[in-house]
């Protein structure tokens, strides 16, 4: 059964445009509440990032859940992985995240976690969508749900993060610039690192509702790179708006992306005899990552793009480590979803235990040049199925002559198709990706 509302990462879009409207979210809260309440009295957590529309959607979800007879626990601004963790520790039936992750403040979204802190099973999402088709009703007054705020949510999650590294680990002597993207980690990440002993210089920790991800965070690391060099810091860490992904910057101001971070963590875990199986990447993972892991006899598989698919591959192999180039890293032995702070701590642990700089650890992988172009879609479609586009792909693959790869992928979160070419020569890769993007644009205009 095809989904009407849920995408690969919940429901997302521009605020005020269907389905990201107060009335839709109100009914979504009710529908979810009705589904989860089928097994008796239910309790659901609600957390959000710092964008201004979060207030409106938090109230709408709370009202919808109450109408369905479901209690809600309001966490306030919290990283997405914190909501997954707290859903488990509060023994809640589900957790709801109000966030559009790395998107502009004018977007927002709703996604759910199961009682286990994982993405909802397809059958639950299907049941919620089916419930959406029914007329909304209200429980009798004695059965209405209640809501309360969880005052110590941040402290609980800070202690969890610190507990993911050995008790004796100290970051004393490390000078770290932390860019929180004016997002959900603003009151969490600096405290985690400083309480572990680091000297922390804060960036983008003053959210005002509209400055989330604005020229800062993991999607815009330019400022972080400059500050790390100017302040003579040992490294920089940047999170996205909801804290489920990160990139890092070494002391030279060079970016360290998700692929490189995965290699660093994998090699450290293997050296300690703690790597469970291999590593899961995605179709977008750099080929250099595959080569680096192969050199150390670490198995590697590619999943479809999206943390849902990375998690599925991890579960099917019973492996512990996987992630995406964007910095969405899953340490399945420690938590149930991508967690920027937890992943950053794993890299910092490797630095401290090995006595090496981030730049030295990064050198374990030699990245091949990649170039990606986003082609905007004017209507929902999959141009990768068009014969002219498929021929254009074959032409580029022939030009690469086996020394690279091509990937066309419709985004699961934005109205674009991503055109990526990878190979040994940057100029050639850029030229071929632009050439292919042009062919895609022409094909979708016909």
């Amino acid at each position: 059964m095809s989904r009407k509302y849920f995408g690969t990462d919940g429901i997302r879009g521009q605020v005020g445009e269907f389905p990201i409207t107060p009335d839709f979210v109100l009914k979504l809260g009710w529908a979810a509440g009705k589904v989860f309440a089928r097994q008796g009295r239910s309790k659901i957590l609600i957390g959000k990032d710092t964008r201004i529309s979060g207030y409106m959607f938090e109230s709408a979800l709370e009202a919808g859940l109450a109408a369905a007879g479901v209690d809600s626990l309001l966490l306030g601004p919290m990283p997405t992985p914190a909501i997954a963790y707290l859903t488990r520790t509060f023994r809640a039936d589900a957790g709801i995240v109000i966030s559009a992750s790395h998107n502009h403040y004018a977007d927002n979204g709703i996604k759910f976690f199961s009682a286990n802190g994982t993405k909802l099973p397809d059958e639950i999402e299907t049941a919620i969508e089916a419930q959406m088709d029914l007329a909304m009703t209200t429980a009798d007054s004695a059965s209405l749900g209640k809501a309360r705020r969880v005052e110590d949510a941040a402290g609980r999650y800070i202690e969890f993060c610190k507990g993911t590294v050995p008790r004796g680990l100290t970051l004393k002597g490390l000078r770290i610039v932390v860019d929180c993207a004016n997002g959900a980690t603003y009151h969490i990440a600096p405290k985690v690192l400083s309480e572990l002993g680091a000297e922390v210089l804060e960036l983008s920790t003053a959210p005002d509702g509209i400055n989330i991800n604005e020229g800062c965070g993991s999607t815009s690391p330019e400022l972080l790179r400059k500050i790390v060099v100017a302040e003579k810091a040992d490294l920089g860490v940047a999170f996205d708006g909801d804290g489920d992904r990160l990139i890092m910057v070494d002391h030279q101001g060079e970016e360290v992306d998700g692929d490189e971070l995965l290699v660093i963590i994998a090699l450290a875990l293997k050296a300690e005899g703690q790597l469970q199986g291999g590593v899961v990447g995605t179709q977008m993972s750099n080929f250099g990552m595959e080569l680096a892991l192969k050199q150390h006899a670490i198995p590697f598989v590619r999943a479809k793009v999206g943390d849902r698919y990375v998690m599925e591959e991890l579960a099917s192999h019973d492996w512990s480590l996987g992630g995406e180039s964007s910095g969405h890293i899953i340490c399945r032995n420690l938590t149930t979803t991508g967690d920027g702070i937890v992943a950053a701590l794993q890299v910092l642990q490797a630095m401290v235990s090995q006595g090496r700089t981030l730049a030295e650890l990064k050198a374990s992988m030699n990245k091949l040049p990649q170039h990606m172009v986003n082609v905007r879609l004017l209507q929902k479609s999959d141009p990768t199925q068009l014969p002219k586009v498929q021929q254009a792909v074959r032409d580029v693959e022939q030009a690469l002559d086996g020394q690279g790869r091509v990937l066309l992928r419709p985004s699961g979160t934005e109205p674009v198709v991503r055109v990526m070419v990878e190979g040994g020569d940057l100029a050639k890769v850029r030229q071929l990706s632009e050439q292919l993007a042009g062919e895609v644009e022409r094909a979708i205009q016909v």
Side-chain angles (χ1 to χ4, degrees), residues 156-175:
R156 286 171 178 254
Y157 181 59
I158 287 169
E159 290 306 309
F160 163 73
C161 291
K162 288 158 58 181
T164 61
V165 294
R167 186 172 180 82
L169 179 79
T170 177
L171 303 180
K172 189 175 182 180
L174 284 178
R175 185 173 167 87

Side-chain angles (χ1 to χ4, degrees), residues 36-69:
F36 285 108
R38 289 172 185 171
Q39 298 180 349
R41 191 74 182 183
S42 190
K43 176 175 64 178
I44 294 179
L45 271 64
I46 303 175
K48 60 184 180 179
D49 64 23
T50 57
R51 62 196 73 219
I52 192 168
S53 58
Y55 295 98
M56 176 171 67
F57 294 128
E58 179 185 57
S59 298
L61 285 168
E62 177 191 339
L65 291 169

Side-chain angles (χ1 to χ4, degrees), residues 301-314:
V301 298
R302 294 182 186 269
K304 291 191 292 184
V305 174
D307 61 304
R308 169 190 291 266
Y309 303 113
V310 173
M311 183 62 81
E312 287 176 358
E313 285 289 344
L314 287 172

Side-chain angles (χ1 to χ4, degrees), residues 119-191:
K119 295 293 176 70
L120 284 186
D122 289 345
E123 57 267 24
I124 300 296
E125 289 187 350
T126 300
I128 292 172
E129 291 204 344
Q131 190 73 34
M132 290 286 291
D133 291 334
L134 304 179
M136 186 172 171
T137 57
T138 303
D140 65 82
S141 293
S143 302
L144 290 172
K146 300 177 181 179
R148 70 176 176 89
R149 291 212 168 265
V150 180
E151 302 296 341
D152 62 346
R156 286 171 178 254
Y157 181 59
I158 287 169
E159 290 306 309
F160 163 73
C161 291
K162 288 158 58 181
T164 61
V165 294
R167 186 172 180 82
L169 179 79
T170 177
L171 303 180
K172 189 175 182 180
L174 284 178
R175 185 173 167 87
I176 305 175
V177 184
V178 182
D179 183 345
C180 294
N182 291 313
T185 62
Y186 78 98
H187 59 320
I188 305 284
K191 290 181 179 178

Side-chain angles (χ1 to χ4, degrees), residues 12-22 24 57 106-107:
R12 189 180 296 185
Q14 187 169 336
V15 175
E17 295 185 5
F18 185 84
I20 309 301
T21 59
F24 177 88
F57 294 128
D107 290 342

Side-chain angles (χ1 to χ4, degrees), residues 19-247:
I20 309 301
T21 59
D23 54 334
F24 177 88
V25 173
L26 171 71
K27 191 168 186 184
L28 178 65
W30 170 82
K34 294 290 284 185
V35 169
F36 285 108
R38 289 172 185 171
Q39 298 180 349
R41 191 74 182 183
S42 190
K43 176 175 64 178
I44 294 179
L45 271 64
I46 303 175
K48 60 184 180 179
D49 64 23
T50 57
R51 62 196 73 219
I52 192 168
S53 58
Y55 295 98
M56 176 171 67
F57 294 128
E58 179 185 57
S59 298
L61 285 168
E62 177 191 339
L65 291 169
V70 172
D71 295 338
S72 54
L73 299 181
L74 308 179
L75 305 177
M78 289 293 289
T80 289
I83 297 161
Y85 165 70
L86 292 169
T87 298
R88 301 197 314 275
T89 62
F90 274 98
R91 308 297 192 270
D93 296 276
I96 304 178
V97 181
I98 306 167
S99 175
S101 189
H102 57 282
N103 286 23
H104 186 260
Y105 82 92
D107 290 342
N108 216 330
I110 309 291
K111 62 181 176 183
F112 292 81
F113 286 113
S114 72
N116 297 321
T118 58
K119 295 293 176 70
L120 284 186
D122 289 345
E123 57 267 24
I124 300 296
E125 289 187 350
T126 300
I128 292 172
E129 291 204 344
Q131 190 73 34
M132 290 286 291
D133 291 334
L134 304 179
M136 186 172 171
T137 57
T138 303
D140 65 82
S141 293
S143 302
L144 290 172
K146 300 177 181 179
R148 70 176 176 89
R149 291 212 168 265
V150 180
E151 302 296 341
D152 62 346
R156 286 171 178 254
Y157 181 59
I158 287 169
E159 290 306 309
F160 163 73
C161 291
K162 288 158 58 181
T164 61
V165 294
R167 186 172 180 82
L169 179 79
T170 177
L171 303 180
K172 189 175 182 180
L174 284 178
R175 185 173 167 87
I176 305 175
V177 184
V178 182
D179 183 345
C180 294
N182 291 313
T185 62
Y186 78 98
H187 59 320
I188 305 284
K191 290 181 179 178
V192 170
L193 297 175
S194 62
E195 289 182 18
L196 287 172
E199 179 187 352
V200 173
L201 287 71
E202 297 184 17
L203 272 184
S204 310
T205 55
D208 62 9
I210 62 175
N211 62 0
I212 185 171
N213 301 314
E214 185 179 1
C216 57
S218 63
T219 54
S220 301
E222 295 79 14
L223 177 61
L224 176 64
R225 295 173 61 182
K226 291 178 183 177
I227 296 296
V228 166
V229 174
E231 293 290 341
K232 295 181 170 56
D234 294 290
L235 70 148
V237 181
F239 304 99
D240 67 338
D242 73 331
D244 64 355
R245 67 175 72 181
L246 84 155
I247 64 97

